[in-house]
Amino acid sequence: MKKYFILLLIFLFANLHLYSQSAIPSQLSGNVSIEAQTYKNDSLINAPSTPEQILSNSYLNLNYIIGNFELAARFEAYLNPILGIDSRYKGSGIPYKNITYHGDKFEVSAGNFYEQFGSGLILRSYWDPVLGIDNSLEGARFVVRPVKGIDARVMIGKMRNFWTTSNSILRAANIDMNFADLFENAFSNNWNVTFGASLASKFEADDNPNLILPQNELAYSLRAGLYSPHFSIDGEFGYTFNHPEAVNNFTYNDGNGVILNMSYYGKGFGTSLSLHRVDNMDLRAQRDARSTQLTQNFIPPLTKQHFFSRYTIFPYSTQLNGEAGLQYDFNYHLSEGSFLGGKDGADFSLNLSRINSIRKNQIDKYTYKANFFEIADTLLFQDINFDYTRYIGSNAEIVLRYANVINNKDFLFFSGAPHYGKIFVNILGLEGTYRFTNDFALHSKIEHLWQTQDSTLHEADNENGNWLSGLIETTFWGSLMTSIALDWNYGNAFDDHKLLFYTVNVAYLMGGNRFSLSYGRNPGGIICVGGICRTVPATNGFYLSLTSSF
C-alpha cells in the first residue's frame, strides 16, 4: 500500500514541478472528514462500552488535475471502526488511487475506479461511508467516445475487499447511445431516445470440494428509454447465468431482473409509476461474501426515503434474490389563492409502494422454478404516505406528513426468525420553519408513531410500541446551528424500556468547513440508503464530526 502512495507522491510533485516551469493549467482539490464517537455502557438500552472509549472513522480525498491528466487518492483510517461499520475495516492506508488521462475522444484509467452500467442491474461499484461500503475496482478502464452520443467502455479489475481485493477477476463492457446527440436534426422539442447494452463476467476458481462450481459467470443487460417534454418511459432487462454463492444458498438457477419507469408531467403536477421484478440477482465478487460485502450490482429501490425521526424502525431492504413491486408518485402544486393553496400556494405529494416476494417452487436442493408472472402471497413491504407543504410568505412554511407502513421485519432482517412478525405503523408529523431575519431562523417538528405487530414479543428491545418525538433547531447568522431532539418510547411493551432518548447538537459552518458536536442517548436502529442497509447499535455518548473541502 505504501509503495503506491510513494509513487503517487513522486508523480504528483513531478507534475507540480513541471507546472511551476510551464503554463499548463492545474488544480488541486479535496476534502477531509473525521468522525469520532464515545461509548458509555447503558444496560437499559443495550448500549455497549468499548475498551478504546473513543472510536473513529476518517478519510482524506485528494484530486489533482494537470493538463489532460487527473490523479486521485484517498487515505482512510478506522481507529477503530465506529460500531455499526464492519470491524474488518480496522486499520489505515490508501485503498483508493487512480491515474486517468482524458483525451478528446477517449479516456484511460489505471488504479481504482467506480463504475455503474445503467441502473446498476449487473454492475455498480461505489463508495458510501455512511453505509460502510466501498467496492471500487482495482484495474484498468478504457473509454472511447468516437462521436457525440456514443460512449463505449471496457474494464478489468478486482473488487476492493476491506484492505485487500477479491479473489475473483471482473471483466466488463458497456455501450450507451443517445440518439438526440447522434441525430441532432431528427429530434426537436427536447425529445430523445436512448439505448444501452452491458456485459459483466466474473472469473473465480472453483475451490469447493463438495460442489462443481462455474468458474466463469456471465451477466448481461439491455435498456432503452423514450423521453419527451411531457412524458418518459424507460426500462432495463438483466440476465445472469447460474452463480452459486452463499447469499443464494448455492442455487444453480439463472437470475433475471426487469425494471420499468414511466412518468408524465403536466402544468403544476407530475406523476410516475415504477415497477420491477428480480429473481436470483444478488451478484457478488466472491462466493463467500455476505451482508454488504463485495456487492457487484444494485437494484433501485421502490420505497420513499422518509424524514421521520424514527424511520430506522421500519426501513426496507431490497431483496435481490426475489421480489416484485411497484411505486407510484403524484406531485401537485396548489396554486396561490386556492382553498388548499392559501395566499402563497402549497405543494402536495402522494406516494404508494407495495412489494411482495415471488413464488418459488423447489425442484431439489439446488434448483427451483419461478414463473415470471407468479407473485407470492408474502407481503414484504407496503407504504402509503403523503406530504402537504403550505407556504406562508417568503419566510415560513409548514409541512404535514403522514405514512401508513406494513413491514415484514422478520423476513427482511431476521431471515424469517420469529421476532416481530409484520409490524404495522402509522406515523403523523407536523413541522415548521420560520426565518425571523437573515440572521435567525427556527425549525421545529413533532411526530407521533403508532405501532403494533402480529407476533408476541419475546425479548425486550428499544423499538416496539408507540413513540412521541420532537425537534427544535435554531440557525444564527446562517452558520451556527443548535438543536435538541427527543424520542419517547412511552408505548414500549416492557415497562423498564419506556425510555426517553435525546440528542443535543451544536454545529458551525465556515466556508467549506463544518464542525458538529453532539451528545445523546440513542436507541439505534437500521439505516438504509437506496435499499442497502446496516444496523446501528444503541449508543450513549458524544459524537464529533469535522468536514472540510478545498
Side-chain angles (χ1 to χ4, degrees), residues 330-334 346-351 385-389:
F330 175 77
N331 297 280
Y332 186 75
H333 178 71
L334 300 157
D347 288 317
F348 175 79
S349 65
L350 174 69
N351 172 268
N385 62 82
F386 73 80
D387 291 1
Y388 172 72
T389 304

Side-chain angles (χ1 to χ4, degrees), residues 379-486:
L379 175 65
L380 301 179
F381 188 83
Q382 178 178 288
D383 185 1
I384 302 171
N385 62 82
F386 73 80
D387 291 1
Y388 172 72
T389 304
R390 181 77 170 264
Y391 303 102
I392 305 172
S394 59
N395 294 321
E397 65 181 48
I398 297 174
V399 182
L400 176 68
R401 292 192 173 97
Y402 169 78
N404 173 274
V405 176
I406 303 173
N407 185 303
N408 195 335
K409 204 164 184 176
D410 284 354
F411 188 98
L412 298 174
F413 298 105
F414 299 100
S415 301
H419 290 270
Y420 296 90
K422 293 188 182 73
I423 63 170
F424 303 87
V425 173
N426 285 281
I427 184 166
L428 181 67
L430 181 67
E431 66 178 282
T433 302
Y434 189 80
R435 289 169 286 277
F436 291 89
T437 67
N438 290 335
D439 294 329
F440 178 63
L442 176 67
H443 175 76
S444 63
K445 68 177 179 179
I446 186 169
E447 299 170 0
H448 190 275
L449 183 148
W450 296 265
Q451 179 184 199
T452 60
Q453 61 280 326
D454 64 1
S455 68
T456 302
L457 292 170
H458 301 287
E459 298 179 3
D461 62 53
N462 303 317
E463 296 185 359
N464 77 86
N466 297 348
W467 290 76
L468 181 64
S469 303
L471 169 74
I472 297 178
E473 183 179 65
T474 59
T475 304
F476 300 92
W477 310 293
S479 58
L480 176 63
M481 291 168 285
T482 64
S483 68
I484 180 169
L486 302 173

Side-chain angles (χ1 to χ4, degrees), residues 100-352:
T100 300
Y101 178 80
H102 300 276
D104 291 336
K105 294 186 177 183
F106 70 95
E107 178 182 300
V108 180
S109 294
N112 299 89
F113 54 88
Y114 298 103
E115 187 60 79
Q116 177 172 326
F117 294 164
S119 59
L121 200 51
I122 66 168
L123 180 64
R124 185 200 191 199
S125 64
Y126 66 108
W127 176 53
D128 189 325
V130 173
L131 293 175
I133 293 177
D134 184 2
N135 59 351
S136 66
L137 296 173
E138 183 177 272
R141 175 176 60 188
F142 180 75
V143 181
V144 61
R145 304 179 182 95
V147 296
K148 185 179 180 181
I150 294 181
D151 181 299
R153 55 189 63 203
V154 294
M155 62 203 67
I156 187 170
K158 291 190 169 189
M159 187 172 286
R160 179 184 178 183
N161 186 20
F162 303 106
W163 295 107
T164 61
T165 57
S166 64
N167 57 23
S168 66
I169 301 172
L170 286 174
R171 296 77 56 102
N174 180 77
I175 184 168
D176 283 308
M177 303 175 69
N178 186 311
F179 288 91
D181 290 335
L182 273 172
F183 309 102
E184 294 182 359
N185 297 327
F187 293 87
S188 60
N189 299 323
N190 296 317
W191 282 74
N192 193 15
V193 174
T194 62
F195 174 80
S198 308
L199 288 172
S201 171
K202 181 189 81 172
F203 171 79
E204 182 178 2
D206 178 7
D207 57 1
N208 190 306
N210 301 315
L211 298 172
I212 300 175
L213 300 173
Q215 297 190 117
N216 290 280
E217 300 170 1
L218 177 67
Y220 66 86
S221 67
L222 300 170
R223 55 193 173 274
L226 172 64
Y227 307 91
S228 81
H230 296 292
F231 74 90
S232 67
I233 179 170
D234 63 82
E236 183 169 5
F237 171 77
Y239 192 91
T240 174
F241 293 92
N242 59 14
H243 52 285
E245 55 193 5
V247 291
N248 67 6
N249 294 318
F250 287 91
T251 179
Y252 280 73
N253 275 65
D254 294 350
N256 60 79
V258 176
I259 299 171
L260 182 63
N261 303 299
M262 296 170 283
S263 300
Y264 183 82
Y265 324 102
K267 186 177 181 180
F269 77 94
T271 185
S272 65
L273 177 66
S274 299
L275 307 98
H276 76 213
R277 180 194 182 276
V278 291
D279 174 18
N280 195 24
M281 285 296 291
D282 193 339
L283 306 179
R284 302 295 176 121
Q286 200 165 289
R287 294 189 192 96
D288 59 357
R290 292 185 179 274
S291 185
T292 57
Q293 179 191 10
L294 294 168
T295 56
Q296 181 183 319
N297 65 327
F298 169 79
I299 309 296
L302 292 175
T303 55
K304 181 176 180 176
Q305 191 79 26
H306 283 289
F307 294 100
F308 295 116
S309 63
R310 297 306 300 137
Y311 181 59
T312 53
I313 292 176
F314 54 90
Y316 183 71
S317 174
T318 304
Q319 304 299 295
L320 281 78
N321 281 329
E323 71 171 38
L326 62 84
Q327 177 174 229
Y328 175 74
D329 277 299
F330 175 77
N331 297 280
Y332 186 75
H333 178 71
L334 300 157
S335 60
E336 294 79 354
S338 63
F339 175 70
L340 292 176
K343 179 182 177 182
D344 298 297
D347 288 317
F348 175 79
S349 65
L350 174 69
N351 172 268
L352 181 150

Side-chain angles (χ1 to χ4, degrees), residues 356-395:
N356 278 54
S357 62
I358 61 174
R359 191 179 304 282
K360 296 182 178 181
N361 300 308
Q362 204 71 31
I363 298 173
D364 55 41
K365 184 178 178 180
Y366 298 107
T367 59
Y368 61 87
K369 182 178 181 181
N371 294 326
F372 186 84
F373 292 103
E374 280 197 58
I375 298 175
D377 297 330
T378 303
L379 175 65
L380 301 179
F381 188 83
Q382 178 178 288
D383 185 1
I384 302 171
N385 62 82
F386 73 80
D387 291 1
Y388 172 72
T389 304
R390 181 77 170 264
Y391 303 102
I392 305 172
S394 59
N395 294 321

